[in-house]
Amino acid sequence: MELKRVVVTGLGALTPIGNDVETTWKNAVEGVSGAGPITHFDCSKFKTQFACEVKDFNPAEKFDRKQARTLDLYAMYALTAANQAIEDAKLDDENLDKNRIGVIFAAGIGGLHTFEEEAGYFALHGQEQGPKYNPYFIPKMISDIAAGHISIEHEFRGPNFGTVSACASSNTALIDAFNLVRLGQADAIVTGGAEAAIFPAGVGGFNSMKALSTRNDDPKSASRPFSGSRDGFVMGEGAAALVLEELEHAKARGAHIYAEVAGGGMSADAHHITATHPDGLGAVLVMENALKDAGMKPEEIDYINLHGTSTPLGDISEEKAIKKVFGKHAYDMNLSSTKSMTGHLLGAAGAAEAVLSVMAINDGIVPPTINHEDGDNDPEIDYNLNFTFNKAQKRDINAVLSNTFGFGGHNAAIIFKKYKD
């Protein structure tokens, strides 16, 4: 069976550094941090009191009251980004066969805020009033519901589901979408991820694991991947979406093509529920699998959008894995962690980084890893590698590999390349 070629024809983004793709990309190139004091709840008693929140998002401007009652914030973010990508791709066309357009959308946690509200109400009043749960509790909370809402709104009746693999969830969704399109089971799939976990249970839970930065005195510089003084990740939120489409289908309708999806890989660390393998074994395997699937040599990759969360152990294991996979070529590539600006969007991270990777190919610019200070080095990290510290760099980019690693040892990497007819 001959596999179809798959291209990117639409992009959408709602992130801590921009409420659309253009603004997000502009701020990423300029090295703007999305971090600031938490506004979603009173965090004065929490160890971490800052995050990378979405700004100026008013649900009432996008959803009527009836619709808003059925949506957790994460699903609102998902619909917003997906609608941008669908509009960008001009996919909402009645002349298209909507039986062959699908939606695969990720969330690592899903409706955490809804769960927190409902469980909290029952804890306070349940013994007196009995179990008075909101009838929308379950459909608002479940992590697959964003895909359902997107398909319902646009009447897309193709493959439809959500993916959950912690912080690798979005890349898993992208790879699933890529595979279904290249196998001919859909003409196009709207894919990506969304997350909205900056609430007491999310922040408190990650604080208890000592996973979050506690740099409360200077939030904007707290996410500092690959720097010696890094002390944990900065939680982010938002959503991003891409339309993946079969090449001939896209050409036949005159769609704009941003890039081609070259391949994807998955693996497991099989090591620990939260810590990456110290030698990066799972990370090595996932990058090798992605390259093999794409039929590409390591020397063909120009830029890696790193998982790079700014955690003490994770950054080291990813650096080790890159040197093992790419050898001498590792020193010729650009590497950067855009989480230094967006924070860690958890289940939406891979989608946001995929959008930035595609834009990097289109504009020939590598966004920076911000917040690195001269001399703030980790003796276990090789600074001869080009981490694109603090300032974006121009270069011709033919191919980008984007890494995501999640709790449970889930790894997913995807490769985008410049489209050539």
Side-chain angles (χ1 to χ4, degrees):
M1 178 182 178
E2 184 179 354
L3 296 176
K4 312 280 188 180
R5 291 175 67 185
V6 182
V7 293
V8 180
T9 57
L11 300 173
L14 177 66
T15 76
I17 58 172
N19 290 9
D20 52 42
V21 172
E22 182 181 4
T23 308
T24 296
W25 175 239
K26 177 177 179 292
N27 285 332
V29 171
E30 293 178 358
V32 174
S33 170
I38 291 172
T39 65
H40 288 338
F41 69 97
D42 179 4
C43 61
S44 58
K45 295 183 179 180
F46 286 71
K47 293 178 182 177
T48 296
Q49 299 172 5
F50 62 94
C52 287
E53 295 180 338
V54 169
K55 283 86 172 169
D56 303 319
F57 180 81
N58 183 358
E61 294 177 355
K62 297 181 180 295
F63 307 99
D64 61 42
R65 185 179 298 178
K66 182 179 179 180
Q67 188 180 22
R69 288 173 57 210
T70 70
L71 297 170
D72 183 87
L73 184 60
Y74 101 92
M76 293 183 183
Y77 288 167
L79 273 164
T80 301
N83 288 345
Q84 290 178 16
I86 291 163
E87 182 179 0
D88 185 33
K90 298 179 174 58
L91 203 62
D92 232 349
D93 183 341
E94 292 304 320
N95 294 316
L96 298 178
D97 183 358
K98 294 192 175 183
N99 292 337
R100 290 188 54 80
I101 301 175
V103 182
I104 303 175
F105 227 79
I109 298 175
L112 181 65
H113 184 44
T114 294
F115 182 84
E116 188 176 72
E117 283 189 323
E118 294 294 320
Y121 183 86
F122 179 75
L124 289 173
H125 306 291
Q127 297 302 318
E128 302 168 5
Q129 300 179 359
K132 294 186 177 181
Y133 285 96
N134 186 322
Y136 293 114
F137 170 38
I138 298 301
K140 284 177 70 176
M141 177 195 71
I142 53 180
S143 56
D144 68 301
I145 204 66
H149 280 295
I150 295 164
S151 70
I152 291 167
E153 182 161 322
H154 297 278
E155 298 181 340
F156 295 154
R157 291 179 288 272
N160 183 272
F161 57 92
T163 60
V164 180
S165 50
C167 302
S169 297
S170 288
N171 267 6
T172 306
L174 289 167
I175 293 168
D176 281 354
F178 167 58
N179 284 330
L180 288 174
V181 174
R182 68 173 170 172
L183 286 169
Q185 296 185 22
D187 294 330
I189 293 182
V190 182
T191 185
E195 206 79 273
I198 304 174
F199 292 102
V203 176
F206 281 115
N207 263 159
S208 69
M209 298 170 60
K210 300 181 179 179
L212 297 180
S213 171
T214 56
R215 199 180 288 269
N216 294 312
D217 58 335
D218 190 10
K220 289 191 179 300
S221 73
S223 183
R224 44 181 61 203
F226 303 96
S227 289
S229 61
R230 65 193 184 281
D231 68 331
F233 75 82
V234 177
M235 191 183 296
E237 64 172 0
L242 300 88
V243 172
L244 303 191
E245 188 168 354
E246 193 272 320
L247 174 59
E248 297 305 322
H249 186 269
K251 288 168 65 176
R253 66 186 192 88
H256 173 71
I257 296 174
Y258 286 96
E260 183 170 359
V261 186
M266 301 184 206
S267 76
D269 276 5
H271 169 67
H272 190 273
I273 57 170
T274 57
T276 56
H277 192 285
D279 295 323
L281 296 186
V284 168
L285 184 59
V286 77
M287 288 187 280
E288 289 178 342
N289 288 344
L291 289 165
K292 182 178 179 180
D293 188 53
M296 297 176 70
K297 298 176 181 178
E299 294 76 21
E300 295 180 84
I301 301 297
D302 302 301
Y303 164 46
I304 299 179
N305 189 305
L306 302 162
H307 183 62
T309 57
S310 189
T311 56
L313 297 179
D315 290 2
I316 292 171
S317 62
E318 185 172 15
E319 183 253 23
K320 287 182 179 178
I322 287 167
K323 290 203 293 186
K324 185 168 183 179
V325 173
F326 291 91
K328 292 181 180 180
H329 181 63
Y331 298 91
D332 297 326
M333 297 186 295
N334 276 81
L335 316 173
S336 77
S337 172
T338 50
K339 288 184 180 73
S340 60
M341 297 170 283
T342 66
H344 190 355
L345 274 64
L346 307 177
E353 288 150 20
V355 168
L356 294 173
S357 296
V358 169
M359 292 303 296
I361 291 171
N362 275 253
D363 286 6
I365 300 175
V366 178
T369 305
I370 66 170
N371 296 325
H372 182 71
E373 300 169 4
D374 289 342
D376 184 13
N377 293 346
D378 183 330
E380 294 194 59
I381 290 176
D382 183 353
Y383 292 97
N384 291 312
L385 295 169
N386 184 358
F387 288 104
T388 321
F389 282 133
N390 298 324
K391 187 176 181 180
Q393 294 180 13
K394 292 184 178 181
R395 72 175 290 169
D396 187 31
I397 302 171
N398 288 302
V400 177
L401 184 148
S402 180
N403 280 334
T404 54
F405 313 136
F407 284 176
H410 313 304
N411 305 312
I414 191 164
I415 299 173
F416 299 95
K417 66 181 180 181
K418 190 174 289 186
Y419 167 68
K420 296 175 182 178
D421 195 2

